[in-house]
Amino acid sequence: MDRAISRRDFVNGVAASALAGGLPAEALAAAGRAQAVVTPEIDPNPYPPARQGMRGSHAGTFEAAHMLRDGTLKLADAEDSGEVYDLIVVGGGLSGLSAAHFFHKRVGPGAKVLVLDNHDDFGGHAKRNEFRVNGKLLLCNGGTLNIESPSRYDKWSRVLLDDIGVDIARYERDNTINAGLYKSLGMGHGMVFDAETFGGKDVVLAMGGSWRGGPIELDKLANAPLSPKARADLARLLANTQPDYLPGLDQAAKKDWLARHSYKAFLTEKVGVDSQVYWLFQDIGKASFCVGGDAVPALFAWVQGYPGFSGMNLGDVPADLFADLPGGQHGRQREGDKSIHFPDGNATLARLLVSRLVPEATAGRTQEDMGTAVIDYAALDRPGASTRIRLSSVVLNVAHKGDPASAGEVAVHYAKAGRLVAVRGRAVIMACWNMAIPYLMPELPAAQKEALAYGVKGPMVYTSVAVTNWRPFVKLGAANFHCPTMFHQEVGLTEAVSLGDLKHPQSPDEPVVLHLVKYMNKPGLPRRDQHRVGRAELLAMSFDTFERETRRQLQRMLGGAGFDAARDIAGITVNRWGHGYAYTYNSIYDPVEWVYSESPNRPCVIGRQPFGLVSIANSDAAASPHTDAAIQEAHRAVQEVIERRTYPFVPRRTA
C-alpha cells in the first residue's frame, strides 16, 4: 500500500515566494511551512493538467486569502506595473472566461482584457486531469462534470456554446457506440455495505440499473446485510400502494411541510423506516448540494423521484418545476434529464474559450481538437495580446482610484512570484467567489458585504485514479459503486466517451481512469455549518491521507475481483475543492420564497449589484452551481460594463 507512484507531485503549488510581496515576514514563514519544494524528481512534467498529487485548490492559491480574512496580512506598497486595461477580470473560471469573451464580442477589436487567477491553471472548477499509462493519454474531470440539461439553457448560454463551437448533437452521434459500452459488458451500478457499519465483512453488490433517484429492485438486495425489519420497511416504502403519511393536511399544507422538513425526517418520523433503510438514501442531494438527506428538503426528494410519496395526493410533478428559477434550479436533478459529459468534464469549455481568447496558446480550435490539444501556457500572458491570462496571481485588493461615483479607473493588487503588483482597469468584473469579495473590496457597502458573505460554498473532493486495467469492474458487474459510509462515497469508471483523437478504452485490459467522489458534510448540523466544518477538515487532510485511504478503499472493494493496489494504480490526483458548489437556497434553513420564487431579497441578488466601475459575475451570483448560471451571470456583468460605457452620464451605484 505504500508503493511509490511515479511522477507524484505532493504540493503542485506556486513557490511560497509567490506570496512574498507585501506580506509580513511571520506570515510568509507560515505560508512557507505549508508548502514543500517541488523537485524535478517529484514533478518532471510541470504541465498543469498532468500534475498529480494535491490539486484543485492547491497550495499557494488560498493561504494569502485566509490571512486577509483573518486580518494577519498587511499589504505593503505595490509595484505599479503601468498596465491599464479596458477590463480586468478577477477569476479565470468559466464565468470569468465567458465574461472576457462577451466583452470582446460587444466592444470589438482593440479592447484590452486581463484575466487574473490564483491557480496555476485556468478554468476555475473546470479543471482537467491528464495521465499517461503505457503510452496512452487518459483524461478525467478534475472539477465541473457536465453540461446539465442543455435544452434549458437560456439564450446567452446557448450563444456562448455556439460561439466556441460546441456541437452537442455531433458529440452524441460520435459516442453512440460508447454510450452502450458498459452495459454491453454486463455492467450496471453497484453498492458497498462496509463492515464498519454492518459488521462482518464488506459486501459488494451489483445492483443493475441506476440507484440515485431510480427504481430499487428488492431482489438485488437479497445478499445485502439488512435486518428483517429493514427489509420489511423497505418493501413497504417501495410498495405500489402506500398510505398518506401526512393525513389531515391539504395538498398545499403537505408541500409546505415537505419543504420545511428533511427527507430524513420524513422517512424516519412519518414513514417510520428502520435506520438501515435510511442508510440506503442518506446521500440524496450530495451530488447537487454537498449535503445529504438530513439537510435536503423532502419536497426535493419528491421532485427527484425518491419513494414515499405515491399515496399523498401531491399531484403530478411539473416537468419544469424549479428548473428555470435562478435560486438553485433544483429540477435539473430529475432522473432522465440529459447531461453532456466531455472526457475532461467542462474543462473542454474552458479550453475552447481560451482558444478563442488567446489563439496563440493552442493550435486546437474545434470541439474534437480539445481531446488532445496542448496548451502553451507561456503564451497566455504575452505583451500586446488583446487578452492576457495571468495565472498564479493572488488578488488581494480591488479599489477605485478616487470616489467610486466618479473614478475613471480601478486598481487591482495581486501577489505573484514574490512581488505585490498593481494594475489598473477602466472596468473590473469580479468573477471569483462571493465570500471573498468583501475582503478584497473593503469599500463596498456593509449590506452588500453581508449579502456576499451569506452563501457558504459546499466542499467536496474529486479523486482521479489511473489504473492499468478495469477487469475487476467487469468481473463484479458494475461500472460504478455507491459507498455511503466509506472514505469516498462514489467510486466508478469514467464515463465512456471519446473526443476527436482521444478514444475511450474499449477493452477491460486497457488502462483507464477511475472517478472517486468525497463529500465533506457533517450530518446533524445546519447546512452552512456542515460546509464550514467539512472545509476545515478537508484543508487539514494531507495528500498522504488521501493516497492511503484511496488505495485502501479500492483494495477492499475490488481486491476480491483480482485488483492489486500496489500493482494496478498508476497515478493519483486529488482535486480538493474547499469552496466547491455554489450555495443554493434551502427551505429548511432559508426563507421559502428564496427557494421557490425570484425574490429580489435573496442575498445573491443584493450581493451581485454593480458598485462604481465594478460588476460581479460568478455562479454564486445566481445561487446555482450549474454551468449555465456562471455563463448567465457573466453576460449580465458585461452588460453592466457596456451600459456604463455607453451611458456614462447615468449615476453609478455606490451605496
Side-chain angles (χ1 to χ4, degrees):
M1 300 297 287
D2 296 322
R3 183 171 297 182
I5 295 173
S6 63
R7 298 195 308 149
R8 185 169 63 190
D9 179 353
F10 288 100
V11 178
N12 296 302
V14 295
S17 61
L19 303 178
L23 274 73
E26 61 274 16
L28 177 58
R33 287 193 295 271
Q35 211 150 355
V37 176
V38 178
T39 67
E41 289 74 24
I42 293 175
D43 186 22
N45 184 354
Y47 189 61
R51 289 178 175 169
Q52 297 176 33
M54 192 68 82
R55 298 295 290 160
S57 291
H58 56 75
T61 63
F62 59 87
E63 293 85 352
H66 285 184
M67 294 174 193
L68 192 68
R69 174 200 64 193
D70 298 336
T72 59
L73 187 153
K74 306 298 181 184
L75 295 177
D77 290 337
E79 173 188 333
D80 189 343
S81 70
E83 299 169 277
V84 181
Y85 294 88
D86 295 294
L87 175 67
I88 296 176
V89 181
V90 178
L94 288 178
S95 197
L97 296 174
S98 297
H101 172 80
F102 284 130
F103 183 78
H104 277 300
K105 189 172 180 178
R106 288 297 306 273
V107 174
K112 298 295 184 182
V113 176
L114 174 66
V115 179
L116 296 167
D117 195 87
N118 56 325
H119 296 88
D120 61 14
D121 201 354
F122 57 82
H125 290 134
K127 289 291 194 295
R128 167 184 175 114
N129 294 159
E130 293 187 5
F131 300 89
R132 283 199 178 271
V133 181
N134 299 334
K136 182 178 179 63
L137 174 65
L138 304 173
L139 296 186
C140 187
N141 60 288
T144 312
L145 283 82
N146 300 325
I147 301 175
E148 283 190 307
S149 301
S151 63
R152 293 178 176 169
Y153 271 29
D154 81 322
K155 172 183 176 181
W156 296 112
S157 299
R158 292 195 301 270
V159 163
L160 183 124
L161 294 185
D162 289 342
D163 286 350
I164 63 177
V166 172
D167 189 325
I168 291 172
R170 188 173 75 231
Y171 181 68
E172 290 183 305
R173 287 195 302 270
D174 290 347
N175 282 284
T176 301
I177 296 176
N178 279 328
L181 175 63
Y182 294 148
K183 185 177 180 179
S184 72
L185 295 171
M187 304 166 70
H189 183 82
M191 288 202 74
V192 182
F193 298 81
D194 58 290
E196 291 86 347
T197 301
F198 291 91
K201 62 179 181 179
D202 298 329
V203 177
V204 181
L205 294 181
M207 301 294 299
S210 173
W211 177 265
R212 184 183 293 115
I216 299 172
E217 300 177 42
L218 286 173
D219 62 321
K220 297 292 177 59
L221 289 169
N223 295 320
L226 298 176
S227 69
K229 182 181 185 307
R231 291 182 184 278
D233 284 351
L234 183 59
R236 176 167 57 89
L237 178 65
L238 300 177
N240 293 328
T241 302
Q242 296 185 27
D244 184 346
Y245 294 113
L246 293 174
L249 299 181
D250 62 21
Q251 188 179 98
K254 289 176 183 177
K255 290 181 178 178
D256 182 71
W257 190 95
L258 294 172
R260 299 175 189 274
H261 293 79
S262 71
Y263 189 49
K264 179 182 181 180
F266 174 73
L267 288 181
T268 58
E269 298 172 16
K270 298 301 180 182
V271 183
V273 301
D274 186 87
S275 60
Q276 288 187 343
V277 175
Y278 175 67
W279 181 92
L280 296 169
F281 297 97
Q282 65 184 291
D283 281 354
I284 171 181
K286 284 186 179 178
S288 303
F289 314 119
C290 297
V291 286
D294 68 300
V296 170
L299 190 64
F300 290 4
W302 170 62
V303 170
Q304 295 175 29
Y306 282 85
F309 307 99
S310 63
M312 296 181 62
N313 192 30
L314 295 174
D316 295 329
V317 179
D320 60 350
L321 184 65
F322 312 147
D324 299 317
L325 293 181
Q329 300 162 302
H330 305 292
R332 295 288 177 85
Q333 285 75 48
R334 290 193 66 195
E335 190 78 9
D337 279 349
K338 178 189 291 186
S339 291
I340 303 301
H341 178 93
F342 291 111
D344 58 4
N346 285 347
T348 288
L349 303 187
R351 290 158 69 84
L352 283 168
L353 279 162
V354 167
S355 74
R356 269 65 177 177
L357 293 169
V358 190
E360 300 81 7
T362 178
R365 291 292 179 268
T366 70
Q367 171 180 279
E368 288 74 21
D369 290 342
M370 293 302 117
T372 55
V374 175
I375 303 295
D376 179 1
Y377 281 77
L380 295 176
D381 186 18
R382 285 183 176 160
S386 59
T387 300
R388 301 178 68 173
I389 301 174
R390 192 164 295 168
L391 302 173
S392 299
S393 300
V394 184
V395 173
L396 301 174
N397 183 261
V398 176
H400 287 83
K401 301 287 285 183
D403 186 347
S406 57
E409 293 179 342
V410 180
V412 178
H413 297 74
Y414 66 91
K416 181 179 176 69
R419 301 160 53 212
L420 186 66
V421 183
V423 293
R424 288 170 287 151
R426 298 183 180 94
V428 170
I429 290 179
M430 303 295 287
C432 51
W433 303 328
N434 268 9
M435 61 194 309
I437 295 175
Y439 299 102
L440 304 183
M441 293 189 65
E443 64 185 8
L444 285 174
Q448 187 169 7
K449 290 180 182 178
E450 182 180 2
L452 288 165
Y454 182 85
V456 182
K457 296 173 81 71
M460 63 191 307
V461 179
Y462 288 164
T463 301
S464 301
V465 182
V467 294
T468 57
N469 69 86
W470 40 290
R471 292 189 294 269
F473 286 87
V474 177
K475 186 173 182 179
L476 291 169
N480 54 78
F481 292 92
H482 186 46
C483 329
T485 39
M486 299 189 81
F487 186 78
H488 290 95
Q489 292 95 338
E490 297 176 17
V491 174
L493 301 172
T494 48
E495 189 165 340
V497 286
S498 299
L499 188 62
D501 292 335
L502 181 80
K503 305 299 182 183
H504 187 82
Q506 301 296 299
S507 167
D509 296 325
E510 297 179 84
V512 77
V513 181
L514 309 183
H515 178 64
L516 287 65
V517 185
K518 181 175 180 61
Y519 301 103
M520 301 298 302
N521 62 310
K522 299 297 292 183
L525 295 176
R527 181 181 171 187
R528 291 192 295 165
D529 289 341
Q530 289 199 39
H531 293 335
R532 294 184 180 104
V533 173
R535 176 164 50 254
E537 290 187 354
L538 174 58
L539 293 179
M541 288 186 185
S542 67
F543 176 74
D544 285 347
T545 296
F546 273 99
E547 181 181 20
R548 180 181 65 251
E549 294 301 328
T550 297
R551 287 171 172 266
R552 179 171 177 261
Q553 182 174 354
L554 291 176
Q555 189 64 46
R556 288 175 60 179
M557 292 174 53
L558 308 174
F563 179 80
D564 185 323
R567 177 193 65 208
D568 295 336
I569 294 177
I572 298 176
T573 299
V574 176
N575 299 281
R576 171 182 62 185
W577 299 114
H579 300 271
Y581 282 172
Y583 182 81
T584 57
Y585 300 124
N586 184 311
S587 51
I588 301 175
Y589 309 105
D590 302 318
V592 170
E593 62 269 21
W594 290 4
V595 183
Y596 303 105
S597 76
E598 298 188 48
S599 167
N601 297 321
R602 289 170 295 149
C604 66
V605 178
I606 297 170
R608 72 190 182 208
Q609 298 304 306
F611 179 80
L613 296 173
V614 177
S615 290
I616 294 173
N618 51 50
S619 61
D620 293 337
S624 168
H626 297 292
T627 295
D628 58 319
I631 299 170
Q632 290 172 26
E633 297 306 318
H635 183 266
R636 174 195 48 76
V638 169
Q639 287 294 97
E640 292 170 358
V641 173
I642 299 302
E643 288 167 4
R644 290 194 296 267
R645 289 169 62 102
T646 307
Y647 304 111
F649 53 85
V650 176
R652 302 173 189 163
R653 179 187 171 276
T654 57

